[in-house]
Amino acid sequence: MTDDDAGPRGSLPTRRRGTLGVIAGGTAASGRVLNGLRAAAREHGYALVVFGVPGRGRAAVPAAAAGLLLQGVSGIVVVDAHLVAELSPVAGVPLIPAATADQYEGARRATEHLLDLGHPTVWHLGGPEDGPIARARERGWRETLELHGAEVPPVVRGDWSARSGYRAGQSLAVEPGVGAVFSANDHMALGLLSAFTEAGMRVPRDAHVVGFDDVPEAAYFEPPLTTVRQDFLAAGRQTLAELVARIDGVPAPRRPVETELVVRESSRCLKGT
């Protein structure tokens, strides 16, 4: 910040119209959202000042907001949904959560796809119970099963990591009747596939697996993973447009970003063939 950016001594810096603040966690998902937001900002000539909050360090969020205010930002985006609740409104500066994909609809599509393959039900490898994204994906899975009159199995829960997916896969591999699994993200699905292989279960011959996120590696899993793709650039553009509208005092209704089901070998052929 230069001296020209500052107001009278002891006051907050003058807000810079083309500078926006971002508070982001350290997860891979938040990194992809941030990349989309950066690309959108470049398209429209905005500069971003990013404060990283490592892990689930919620206590650091108010300090990050204060630091961004000292940088003279004219608005703030919070990338991770679980961090939003930790922020109080900031006087004179709009603060919004980043736009995200329609998590519920993506989970619904994934579950519907597995049911369409002829499975009587679909098991769910869920994310952390306190996470809003994990809850939305779980709700989409659960309500789709209920709509079809299918049994709703108990959720097997992980922490978004491949390691937790591997542990969940070990337990599911010995559970009778597991023929289809919707994993709340691709990294847990990777661990699940590894555990299934070690247990002698071949995907897609013995079971079908669908993930969520379409990480760059998903097409190279063994087998390549069917997953729900999110358009992070579209989310970045929508977030930027909403924040700029808020800065200008214009109403900006939020619309979930559409998702796409990408079908690959993990659910390509009929189970048992």
Side-chain angles (χ1 to χ4, degrees), residues 156-249:
V156 180
R157 205 165 295 283
D159 62 7
W160 300 125
S161 70
R163 182 187 296 273
S164 69
Y166 176 80
R167 290 195 297 264
Q170 288 178 310
S171 64
L172 286 172
V174 297
E175 185 76 34
V178 174
V181 182
F182 164 47
S183 173
N185 81 338
D186 291 346
H187 289 111
M188 291 194 297
L190 173 61
L192 177 84
L193 290 171
S194 178
F196 277 8
T197 299
E198 285 188 7
M201 291 178 64
R202 287 181 57 189
V203 175
R205 185 196 68 186
D206 301 317
H208 290 140
V209 177
V210 176
F212 204 117
D213 289 334
D214 194 28
V215 298
E217 304 86 357
Y220 304 99
F221 287 4
E222 183 54 47
L225 182 67
T226 295
T227 185
V228 178
R229 176 179 294 162
Q230 304 185 69
D231 189 336
F232 291 107
L233 179 55
R237 287 171 174 157
Q238 182 171 313
T239 302
L240 185 70
E242 181 180 342
L243 184 58
V244 171
R246 295 284 185 89
I247 292 169
D248 292 339

Coordinates of all heavy atoms in Angstrom, one line a residue, residues 156-249:
V156 N -20.9 -43.9 5.2 CA -19.5 -44.2 5.6 C -18.8 -42.9 5.4 O -18.7 -42.3 4.3 CB -18.9 -45.3 4.8 CG1 -17.4 -45.6 5.2 CG2 -19.7 -46.6 4.9
R157 N -18.2 -42.4 6.5 CA -17.7 -41.0 6.4 C -16.1 -40.9 6.4 O -15.4 -41.7 7.0 CB -18.2 -40.2 7.6 CG -18.2 -38.7 7.4 CD -19.0 -38.0 8.4 NE -20.4 -38.4 8.4 CZ -21.3 -37.9 7.6 NH1 -20.9 -37.1 6.6 NH2 -22.6 -38.3 7.6
G158 N -15.7 -40.0 5.5 CA -14.2 -39.7 5.4 C -13.9 -38.2 5.7 O -14.8 -37.5 6.1
D159 N -12.7 -37.8 5.4 CA -12.3 -36.4 5.7 C -11.8 -35.7 4.5 O -11.0 -34.8 4.5 CB -11.2 -36.4 6.8 CG -9.9 -37.1 6.4 OD1 -9.8 -37.6 5.2 OD2 -9.1 -37.3 7.3
W160 N -12.2 -36.2 3.3 CA -11.9 -35.7 2.0 C -10.6 -36.3 1.4 O -10.2 -36.1 0.3 CB -11.8 -34.2 1.9 CG -13.0 -33.4 2.2 CD1 -13.1 -32.4 3.2 CD2 -14.3 -33.5 1.6 NE1 -14.4 -31.9 3.2 CE2 -15.2 -32.5 2.2 CE3 -14.8 -34.3 0.6 CZ2 -16.5 -32.4 1.9 CZ3 -16.2 -34.1 0.2 CH2 -17.0 -33.2 0.9
S161 N -9.8 -37.0 2.3 CA -8.5 -37.5 1.8 C -8.6 -38.9 1.2 O -9.5 -39.6 1.5 CB -7.5 -37.5 3.0 OG -7.9 -38.5 3.9
A162 N -7.6 -39.2 0.4 CA -7.5 -40.5 -0.2 C -7.3 -41.6 0.9 O -7.9 -42.7 0.8 CB -6.4 -40.6 -1.2
R163 N -6.6 -41.2 1.9 CA -6.4 -42.2 3.0 C -7.7 -42.6 3.7 O -7.9 -43.7 4.0 CB -5.4 -41.5 4.1 CG -5.1 -42.5 5.3 CD -4.3 -41.7 6.3 NE -3.1 -41.3 5.8 CZ -1.9 -42.1 5.8 NH1 -2.0 -43.3 6.4 NH2 -0.8 -41.6 5.4
S164 N -8.6 -41.6 4.0 CA -9.8 -41.9 4.6 C -10.7 -42.7 3.6 O -11.5 -43.6 4.1 CB -10.6 -40.6 5.0 OG -11.0 -39.8 3.9
G165 N -10.6 -42.4 2.3 CA -11.4 -43.2 1.4 C -10.9 -44.7 1.3 O -11.7 -45.6 1.2
Y166 N -9.6 -44.9 1.5 CA -9.0 -46.2 1.6 C -9.6 -47.0 2.8 O -10.0 -48.1 2.6 CB -7.5 -46.1 1.6 CG -6.8 -47.5 1.8 CD1 -6.7 -48.3 0.7 CD2 -6.4 -47.9 3.0 CE1 -6.0 -49.5 0.8 CE2 -5.7 -49.1 3.1 CZ -5.6 -49.9 2.0 OH -5.0 -51.2 2.2
R167 N -9.6 -46.3 3.9 CA -10.1 -47.0 5.1 C -11.6 -47.3 5.0 O -12.1 -48.4 5.3 CB -9.9 -46.1 6.3 CG -8.5 -45.9 6.8 CD -8.4 -45.4 8.2 NE -8.9 -44.0 8.2 CZ -8.2 -42.9 8.1 NH1 -6.9 -43.0 8.0 NH2 -8.8 -41.7 8.2
A168 N -12.4 -46.4 4.4 CA -13.8 -46.6 4.1 C -14.0 -47.8 3.1 O -14.9 -48.6 3.3 CB -14.5 -45.4 3.6
G169 N -13.1 -47.8 2.1 CA -13.2 -48.9 1.2 C -12.9 -50.3 1.8 O -13.5 -51.3 1.4
Q170 N -12.0 -50.3 2.7 CA -11.8 -51.6 3.4 C -13.0 -52.1 4.1 O -13.3 -53.3 4.1 CB -10.6 -51.4 4.4 CG -9.2 -51.2 3.8 CD -8.2 -51.0 4.8 OE1 -8.3 -50.2 5.7 NE2 -7.1 -51.8 4.8
S171 N -13.8 -51.2 4.7 CA -15.0 -51.6 5.4 C -16.1 -51.9 4.5 O -16.8 -52.9 4.7 CB -15.4 -50.5 6.4 OG -15.8 -49.3 5.8
L172 N -16.2 -51.2 3.4 CA -17.3 -51.4 2.4 C -17.0 -52.7 1.6 O -18.0 -53.4 1.2 CB -17.4 -50.3 1.4 CG -18.1 -49.0 2.0 CD1 -18.0 -47.9 1.0 CD2 -19.5 -49.3 2.4
A173 N -15.7 -53.1 1.4 CA -15.4 -54.3 0.7 C -15.9 -55.6 1.3 O -16.1 -56.6 0.7 CB -13.9 -54.4 0.4
V174 N -16.1 -55.5 2.6 CA -16.6 -56.7 3.3 C -18.0 -56.6 3.7 O -18.6 -57.5 4.4 CB -15.7 -57.0 4.6 CG1 -14.3 -57.3 4.2 CG2 -15.8 -55.8 5.6
E175 N -18.7 -55.5 3.3 CA -20.1 -55.3 3.6 C -20.9 -56.0 2.5 O -20.7 -55.8 1.3 CB -20.4 -53.8 3.6 CG -21.8 -53.5 3.9 CD -22.1 -53.6 5.4 OE1 -21.1 -53.2 6.2 OE2 -23.2 -53.9 5.8
P176 N -21.8 -56.9 2.9 CA -22.6 -57.6 1.9 C -23.5 -56.7 1.0 O -24.0 -55.7 1.5 CB -23.5 -58.6 2.7 CG -22.8 -58.7 4.0 CD -22.2 -57.4 4.2
G177 N -23.5 -56.9 -0.3 CA -24.4 -56.2 -1.2 C -24.0 -54.8 -1.6 O -24.8 -54.1 -2.2
V178 N -22.7 -54.5 -1.4 CA -22.2 -53.2 -1.9 C -21.9 -53.3 -3.4 O -20.9 -53.9 -3.8 CB -21.0 -52.7 -1.1 CG1 -20.4 -51.4 -1.7 CG2 -21.3 -52.5 0.3
G179 N -22.8 -52.7 -4.2 CA -22.5 -52.8 -5.7 C -22.4 -51.4 -6.3 O -21.9 -51.3 -7.5
A180 N -22.7 -50.3 -5.6 CA -22.6 -49.0 -6.1 C -22.2 -48.0 -5.0 O -22.9 -48.1 -3.9 CB -23.9 -48.6 -6.8
V181 N -21.2 -47.1 -5.2 CA -20.8 -46.2 -4.2 C -20.7 -44.8 -4.9 O -20.0 -44.6 -5.9 CB -19.5 -46.6 -3.6 CG1 -19.1 -45.5 -2.5 CG2 -19.5 -48.0 -3.0
F182 N -21.3 -43.8 -4.2 CA -21.1 -42.4 -4.6 C -20.2 -41.8 -3.6 O -20.6 -41.7 -2.4 CB -22.5 -41.7 -4.7 CG -22.4 -40.2 -4.7 CD1 -21.5 -39.5 -5.5 CD2 -23.1 -39.4 -3.8 CE1 -21.3 -38.2 -5.5 CE2 -23.0 -38.0 -3.8 CZ -22.1 -37.4 -4.7
S183 N -19.0 -41.4 -4.0 CA -18.1 -40.8 -3.1 C -18.2 -39.3 -3.2 O -18.3 -38.7 -4.3 CB -16.7 -41.2 -3.5 OG -15.7 -40.4 -2.7
A184 N -18.2 -38.6 -2.1 CA -18.4 -37.1 -2.0 C -17.3 -36.3 -2.6 O -17.4 -35.1 -2.9 CB -18.7 -36.7 -0.6
N185 N -16.1 -36.9 -2.9 CA -15.1 -36.3 -3.7 C -14.2 -37.3 -4.4 O -14.3 -38.5 -4.0 CB -14.3 -35.2 -2.9 CG -13.2 -35.8 -2.1 OD1 -13.2 -37.0 -1.7 ND2 -12.2 -35.0 -1.7
D186 N -13.4 -36.9 -5.3 CA -12.6 -37.8 -6.1 C -11.5 -38.4 -5.3 O -11.1 -39.5 -5.6 CB -12.1 -37.1 -7.3 CG -13.1 -36.7 -8.3 OD1 -14.3 -37.2 -8.2 OD2 -12.9 -35.9 -9.3
H187 N -10.9 -37.6 -4.4 CA -9.7 -38.1 -3.7 C -10.1 -39.3 -2.8 O -9.4 -40.3 -2.7 CB -9.1 -37.0 -2.9 CG -8.3 -36.0 -3.7 ND1 -8.8 -34.7 -3.9 CD2 -7.2 -36.1 -4.5 CE1 -7.9 -34.1 -4.7 NE2 -7.0 -34.9 -5.1
M188 N -11.3 -39.2 -2.1 CA -11.7 -40.4 -1.3 C -12.1 -41.5 -2.3 O -11.8 -42.7 -1.9 CB -13.0 -40.0 -0.5 CG -12.6 -39.0 0.6 SD -14.0 -38.8 1.8 CE -15.3 -38.2 0.8
A189 N -12.6 -41.2 -3.5 CA -12.9 -42.3 -4.4 C -11.6 -43.0 -4.8 O -11.6 -44.2 -5.0 CB -13.6 -41.7 -5.6
L190 N -10.5 -42.3 -4.9 CA -9.2 -42.9 -5.3 C -8.8 -43.9 -4.2 O -8.4 -45.1 -4.5 CB -8.1 -41.8 -5.4 CG -6.7 -42.3 -5.6 CD1 -6.6 -43.2 -6.9 CD2 -5.7 -41.2 -5.6
G191 N -8.9 -43.6 -2.9 CA -8.6 -44.5 -1.9 C -9.5 -45.7 -1.9 O -9.1 -46.8 -1.6
L192 N -10.8 -45.4 -2.1 CA -11.8 -46.5 -2.2 C -11.5 -47.5 -3.3 O -11.5 -48.7 -3.0 CB -13.2 -45.8 -2.5 CG -14.4 -46.8 -2.6 CD1 -14.9 -47.2 -1.3 CD2 -15.5 -46.2 -3.5
L193 N -11.1 -47.0 -4.5 CA -10.8 -47.9 -5.6 C -9.6 -48.8 -5.2 O -9.5 -50.0 -5.5 CB -10.5 -47.1 -6.8 CG -11.6 -46.4 -7.5 CD1 -11.1 -45.5 -8.6 CD2 -12.6 -47.4 -8.1
S194 N -8.6 -48.2 -4.5 CA -7.4 -49.0 -4.1 C -7.8 -50.1 -3.1 O -7.3 -51.2 -3.3 CB -6.4 -48.0 -3.5 OG -5.3 -48.7 -3.0
A195 N -8.6 -49.7 -2.2 CA -9.1 -50.7 -1.2 C -9.9 -51.8 -1.8 O -9.7 -53.0 -1.5 CB -9.9 -50.1 -0.1
F196 N -10.7 -51.5 -2.8 CA -11.5 -52.5 -3.5 C -10.6 -53.4 -4.2 O -10.8 -54.7 -4.2 CB -12.5 -51.8 -4.4 CG -13.8 -51.4 -3.8 CD1 -14.0 -51.4 -2.4 CD2 -14.9 -50.9 -4.5 CE1 -15.2 -51.0 -1.8 CE2 -16.1 -50.5 -3.9 CZ -16.2 -50.6 -2.6
T197 N -9.6 -52.9 -4.9 CA -8.7 -53.7 -5.7 C -7.9 -54.7 -4.8 O -7.8 -55.9 -5.1 CB -7.7 -52.8 -6.5 OG1 -8.4 -52.0 -7.4 CG2 -6.7 -53.7 -7.2
E198 N -7.5 -54.2 -3.7 CA -6.7 -55.1 -2.7 C -7.6 -56.2 -2.2 O -7.2 -57.3 -1.9 CB -6.2 -54.2 -1.5 CG -5.0 -53.4 -1.9 CD -4.4 -52.8 -0.7 OE1 -4.8 -53.1 0.5 OE2 -3.4 -51.9 -0.8
A199 N -8.9 -55.9 -2.1 CA -9.9 -56.9 -1.5 C -10.4 -57.9 -2.6 O -11.2 -58.7 -2.4 CB -11.1 -56.2 -0.9
G200 N -9.9 -57.7 -3.9 CA -10.3 -58.6 -4.9 C -11.5 -58.1 -5.7 O -12.0 -58.9 -6.5
M201 N -12.0 -56.9 -5.4 CA -13.2 -56.4 -6.1 C -12.7 -55.6 -7.3 O -11.9 -54.6 -7.2 CB -14.0 -55.5 -5.2 CG -14.7 -56.2 -4.1 SD -15.7 -55.1 -3.0 CE -16.9 -54.4 -4.2
R202 N -13.2 -55.9 -8.5 CA -12.8 -55.2 -9.7 C -13.9 -54.2 -10.0 O -15.1 -54.6 -10.1 CB -12.6 -56.2 -10.8 CG -11.3 -57.0 -10.7 CD -11.1 -57.9 -11.9 NE -11.1 -57.2 -13.1 CZ -11.1 -57.8 -14.3 NH1 -11.2 -59.1 -14.4 NH2 -11.1 -57.0 -15.4
V203 N -13.5 -53.0 -10.2 CA -14.4 -51.9 -10.7 C -14.2 -51.7 -12.2 O -13.0 -51.6 -12.6 CB -14.2 -50.6 -9.9 CG1 -15.1 -49.5 -10.5 CG2 -14.5 -50.9 -8.4
P204 N -15.2 -51.8 -13.1 CA -16.6 -51.9 -12.8 C -17.3 -53.3 -12.8 O -18.5 -53.3 -12.7 CB -17.2 -51.0 -14.0 CG -16.3 -51.4 -15.1 CD -14.9 -51.5 -14.5
R205 N -16.5 -54.3 -12.8 CA -17.1 -55.7 -12.9 C -17.9 -56.0 -11.7 O -19.0 -56.5 -11.8 CB -16.0 -56.7 -13.1 CG -16.5 -58.1 -13.3 CD -15.5 -59.2 -13.1 NE -15.0 -59.2 -11.7 CZ -14.0 -60.0 -11.2 NH1 -13.3 -60.7 -12.1 NH2 -13.7 -59.9 -9.9
D206 N -17.3 -55.7 -10.5 CA -18.0 -56.1 -9.3 C -18.7 -54.9 -8.6 O -19.5 -55.2 -7.7 CB -17.0 -56.7 -8.3 CG -16.2 -57.9 -8.9 OD1 -16.9 -58.7 -9.5 OD2 -15.0 -57.9 -8.7
A207 N -18.4 -53.7 -8.9 CA -19.1 -52.6 -8.3 C -18.9 -51.3 -9.2 O -17.9 -51.3 -10.0 CB -18.5 -52.3 -6.9
H208 N -19.7 -50.4 -9.1 CA -19.6 -49.1 -9.8 C -19.3 -48.0 -8.8 O -19.8 -48.0 -7.6 CB -20.9 -48.8 -10.5 CG -21.1 -49.7 -11.7 ND1 -22.4 -50.1 -12.0 CD2 -20.3 -50.1 -12.6 CE1 -22.3 -50.9 -13.1 NE2 -21.0 -50.9 -13.5
V209 N -18.4 -47.1 -9.2 CA -18.0 -46.0 -8.3 C -18.2 -44.6 -9.0 O -17.7 -44.5 -10.2 CB -16.6 -46.1 -7.8 CG1 -16.2 -44.9 -6.9 CG2 -16.5 -47.4 -7.0
V210 N -18.7 -43.6 -8.4 CA -18.8 -42.3 -8.9 C -18.3 -41.3 -7.9 O -18.5 -41.4 -6.7 CB -20.3 -41.9 -9.3 CG1 -20.3 -40.4 -9.7 CG2 -20.8 -42.8 -10.3
G211 N -17.5 -40.3 -8.3 CA -16.9 -39.3 -7.4 C -17.5 -38.0 -7.7 O -18.6 -37.8 -8.3
F212 N -16.9 -36.9 -7.2 CA -17.4 -35.6 -7.3 C -16.1 -34.6 -7.4 O -15.2 -34.8 -6.6 CB -18.2 -35.2 -6.1 CG -19.2 -34.1 -6.4 CD1 -20.6 -34.3 -6.3 CD2 -18.8 -32.8 -6.7 CE1 -21.5 -33.3 -6.6 CE2 -19.7 -31.8 -7.0 CZ -21.1 -32.0 -6.9
D213 N -16.1 -33.7 -8.3 CA -15.1 -32.6 -8.5 C -14.5 -32.7 -9.9 O -14.1 -31.7 -10.4 CB -14.0 -32.6 -7.4 CG -14.6 -32.1 -6.1 OD1 -15.6 -31.4 -6.1 OD2 -14.0 -32.5 -5.1
D214 N -14.2 -33.9 -10.4 CA -13.5 -34.1 -11.6 C -12.1 -33.4 -11.5 O -11.7 -32.5 -12.3 CB -14.2 -33.6 -12.9 CG -13.5 -34.1 -14.2 OD1 -12.9 -35.1 -14.2 OD2 -13.7 -33.4 -15.2
V215 N -11.3 -33.9 -10.5 CA -9.9 -33.4 -10.4 C -9.2 -33.8 -11.7 O -9.5 -34.8 -12.3 CB -9.3 -34.0 -9.1 CG1 -10.0 -33.5 -7.9 CG2 -9.2 -35.5 -9.2
P216 N -8.1 -33.1 -12.0 CA -7.3 -33.4 -13.2 C -6.9 -34.9 -13.3 O -6.8 -35.4 -14.4 CB -6.1 -32.5 -13.2 CG -6.6 -31.3 -12.4 CD -7.5 -31.9 -11.3
E217 N -6.6 -35.5 -12.2 CA -6.2 -36.9 -12.2 C -7.3 -37.9 -12.4 O -7.0 -39.1 -12.6 CB -5.4 -37.2 -10.9 CG -4.3 -36.3 -10.5 CD -4.8 -35.0 -9.8 OE1 -6.0 -34.9 -9.6 OE2 -3.9 -34.2 -9.4
A218 N -8.5 -37.5 -12.3 CA -9.6 -38.5 -12.3 C -9.7 -39.3 -13.6 O -10.0 -40.5 -13.5 CB -11.0 -37.8 -12.1
A219 N -9.3 -38.7 -14.7 CA -9.3 -39.5 -15.9 C -8.2 -40.5 -16.0 O -8.3 -41.4 -16.9 CB -9.2 -38.5 -17.1
Y220 N -7.3 -40.5 -15.1 CA -6.1 -41.4 -15.1 C -6.2 -42.4 -13.9 O -5.2 -43.1 -13.7 CB -4.8 -40.6 -15.1 CG -4.8 -39.6 -16.3 CD1 -5.1 -38.3 -16.1 CD2 -4.5 -40.1 -17.6 CE1 -5.1 -37.4 -17.2 CE2 -4.5 -39.2 -18.6 CZ -4.8 -37.9 -18.4 OH -4.8 -37.0 -19.5
F221 N -7.2 -42.3 -13.1 CA -7.4 -43.4 -12.1 C -7.5 -44.7 -12.7 O -7.7 -44.8 -14.0 CB -8.6 -43.1 -11.2 CG -8.6 -41.9 -10.3 CD1 -7.5 -41.1 -10.2 CD2 -9.6 -41.7 -9.4 CE1 -7.4 -40.0 -9.4 CE2 -9.6 -40.6 -8.6 CZ -8.5 -39.8 -8.5
E222 N -7.4 -45.8 -11.9 CA -7.5 -47.1 -12.5 C -8.7 -47.8 -11.7 O -8.6 -48.2 -10.6 CB -6.2 -47.9 -12.2 CG -6.3 -49.4 -12.8 CD -6.7 -49.4 -14.3 OE1 -6.1 -48.6 -15.1 OE2 -7.6 -50.2 -14.6
P223 N -9.9 -47.9 -12.4 CA -10.2 -47.4 -13.7 C -10.4 -45.9 -13.7 O -10.7 -45.3 -12.7 CB -11.4 -48.2 -14.1 CG -12.1 -48.4 -12.8 CD -11.0 -48.6 -11.8
P224 N -10.5 -45.3 -14.9 CA -10.8 -43.8 -15.0 C -12.2 -43.6 -14.3 O -13.1 -44.4 -14.4 CB -10.9 -43.6 -16.5 CG -9.9 -44.6 -17.1 CD -10.1 -45.8 -16.2
L225 N -12.3 -42.5 -13.6 CA -13.4 -42.3 -12.6 C -14.5 -41.5 -13.2 O -14.3 -40.4 -13.7 CB -12.9 -41.6 -11.4 CG -13.9 -41.3 -10.3 CD1 -14.3 -42.6 -9.6 CD2 -13.3 -40.4 -9.2
T226 N -15.7 -42.1 -13.2 CA -16.9 -41.3 -13.4 C -17.1 -40.3 -12.3 O -17.0 -40.6 -11.1 CB -18.2 -42.2 -13.5 OG1 -18.0 -43.1 -14.6 CG2 -19.5 -41.4 -13.6
T227 N -17.4 -39.0 -12.6 CA -17.4 -38.0 -11.6 C -18.3 -36.8 -12.0 O -18.8 -36.8 -13.1 CB -16.0 -37.5 -11.3 OG1 -16.0 -36.6 -10.2 CG2 -15.4 -36.9 -12.5
V228 N -18.6 -35.9 -11.1 CA -19.3 -34.7 -11.3 C -18.4 -33.6 -11.5 O -17.6 -33.3 -10.6 CB -20.3 -34.5 -10.1 CG1 -21.1 -33.2 -10.4 CG2 -21.3 -35.6 -10.0
R229 N -18.4 -32.9 -12.6 CA -17.5 -31.8 -12.9 C -18.1 -30.5 -12.5 O -19.3 -30.2 -12.8 CB -17.2 -31.8 -14.4 CG -16.4 -30.6 -14.9 CD -16.1 -30.7 -16.4 NE -15.3 -31.9 -16.7 CZ -15.2 -32.4 -17.9 NH1 -15.9 -31.9 -18.9 NH2 -14.4 -33.5 -18.2
Q230 N -17.3 -29.7 -11.9 CA -17.7 -28.3 -11.5 C -16.9 -27.3 -12.5 O -15.8 -27.5 -12.7 CB -17.3 -28.0 -10.1 CG -17.9 -29.0 -9.1 CD -17.6 -28.5 -7.7 OE1 -18.1 -27.5 -7.2 NE2 -16.8 -29.3 -7.0
D231 N -17.6 -26.3 -12.9 CA -17.0 -25.3 -13.7 C -16.5 -24.1 -12.8 O -17.2 -23.2 -12.5 CB -18.0 -24.7 -14.7 CG -17.3 -23.8 -15.8 OD1 -16.3 -23.3 -15.5 OD2 -17.9 -23.7 -16.9
F232 N -15.2 -24.2 -12.4 CA -14.7 -23.3 -11.5 C -14.5 -21.9 -12.1 O -14.6 -20.9 -11.4 CB -13.3 -23.8 -10.9 CG -13.5 -25.0 -10.0 CD1 -13.1 -26.2 -10.5 CD2 -14.1 -24.8 -8.8 CE1 -13.3 -27.3 -9.6 CE2 -14.3 -25.9 -8.0 CZ -13.9 -27.2 -8.4
L233 N -14.2 -21.8 -13.4 CA -14.1 -20.5 -14.1 C -15.5 -19.8 -14.0 O -15.6 -18.6 -13.7 CB -13.6 -20.6 -15.5 CG -13.5 -19.3 -16.3 CD1 -12.7 -18.3 -15.5 CD2 -13.0 -19.6 -17.7
A234 N -16.6 -20.6 -14.3 CA -17.9 -20.0 -14.3 C -18.2 -19.5 -12.8 O -18.8 -18.5 -12.6 CB -18.9 -21.0 -14.7
A235 N -17.8 -20.3 -11.8 CA -18.0 -19.9 -10.5 C -17.2 -18.6 -10.1 O -17.8 -17.7 -9.4 CB -17.6 -21.0 -9.5
G236 N -16.0 -18.5 -10.7 CA -15.2 -17.3 -10.4 C -15.9 -16.1 -11.1 O -15.9 -15.0 -10.5
R237 N -16.4 -16.3 -12.3 CA -17.0 -15.1 -13.0 C -18.3 -14.7 -12.2 O -18.5 -13.5 -12.1 CB -17.4 -15.5 -14.4 CG -16.2 -15.6 -15.3 CD -16.6 -16.2 -16.7 NE -15.5 -16.2 -17.6 CZ -15.4 -17.0 -18.7 NH1 -16.3 -18.0 -18.8 NH2 -14.3 -16.9 -19.5
Q238 N -19.0 -15.7 -11.8 CA -20.3 -15.3 -11.0 C -20.0 -14.6 -9.7 O -20.6 -13.6 -9.3 CB -21.1 -16.6 -10.8 CG -22.4 -16.3 -10.1 CD -23.3 -17.5 -10.1 OE1 -23.5 -18.1 -11.1 NE2 -23.9 -17.7 -8.9
T239 N -18.9 -15.1 -9.0 CA -18.5 -14.5 -7.8 C -18.1 -13.1 -8.0 O -18.5 -12.1 -7.2 CB -17.4 -15.3 -7.1 OG1 -17.8 -16.6 -6.9 CG2 -17.0 -14.7 -5.8
L240 N -17.3 -12.9 -9.0 CA -16.8 -11.5 -9.3 C -17.9 -10.6 -9.6 O -18.0 -9.4 -9.1 CB -15.7 -11.6 -10.4 CG -15.1 -10.3 -10.8 CD1 -14.1 -9.9 -9.7 CD2 -14.3 -10.4 -12.1
A241 N -18.8 -11.0 -10.5 CA -19.9 -10.2 -10.9 C -20.8 -9.8 -9.7 O -21.2 -8.7 -9.5 CB -20.8 -10.9 -11.9
E242 N -21.0 -10.8 -8.8 CA -21.8 -10.5 -7.6 C -21.2 -9.5 -6.7 O -21.8 -8.6 -6.1 CB -22.1 -11.8 -6.8 CG -23.0 -11.6 -5.6 CD -23.3 -12.9 -4.9 OE1 -23.1 -14.0 -5.5 OE2 -23.7 -12.8 -3.7
L243 N -19.9 -9.7 -6.4 CA -19.2 -8.8 -5.5 C -19.1 -7.4 -6.1 O -19.4 -6.4 -5.3 CB -17.7 -9.3 -5.3 CG -16.9 -8.5 -4.2 CD1 -17.6 -8.5 -2.9 CD2 -15.5 -9.1 -4.1
V244 N -18.8 -7.2 -7.4 CA -18.8 -5.9 -8.0 C -20.2 -5.2 -7.9 O -20.3 -4.0 -7.6 CB -18.3 -6.0 -9.4 CG1 -18.5 -4.6 -10.1 CG2 -16.8 -6.4 -9.4
A245 N -21.2 -6.0 -8.1 CA -22.6 -5.5 -8.0 C -22.9 -5.0 -6.6 O -23.5 -3.9 -6.4 CB -23.6 -6.5 -8.4
R246 N -22.4 -5.8 -5.6 CA -22.6 -5.4 -4.2 C -21.9 -4.1 -3.9 O -22.4 -3.2 -3.2 CB -22.1 -6.5 -3.3 CG -22.9 -7.8 -3.4 CD -24.3 -7.7 -2.7 NE -25.0 -9.0 -2.7 CZ -24.8 -9.9 -1.7 NH1 -24.0 -9.7 -0.7 NH2 -25.5 -11.0 -1.8
I247 N -20.7 -4.0 -4.4 CA -19.9 -2.8 -4.2 C -20.6 -1.6 -4.8 O -20.6 -0.5 -4.2 CB -18.5 -2.9 -4.9 CG1 -17.7 -3.9 -4.1 CG2 -17.8 -1.6 -4.9 CD1 -16.4 -4.3 -4.8
D248 N -21.3 -1.8 -5.9 CA -22.0 -0.7 -6.6 C -23.4 -0.5 -6.0 O -24.2 0.4 -6.5 CB -22.2 -1.0 -8.1 CG -20.8 -0.9 -8.8 OD1 -19.9 -0.2 -8.3 OD2 -20.7 -1.5 -9.9
G249 N -23.8 -1.3 -5.0 CA -25.1 -1.2 -4.4 C -26.2 -1.7 -5.2 O -27.4 -1.3 -5.1

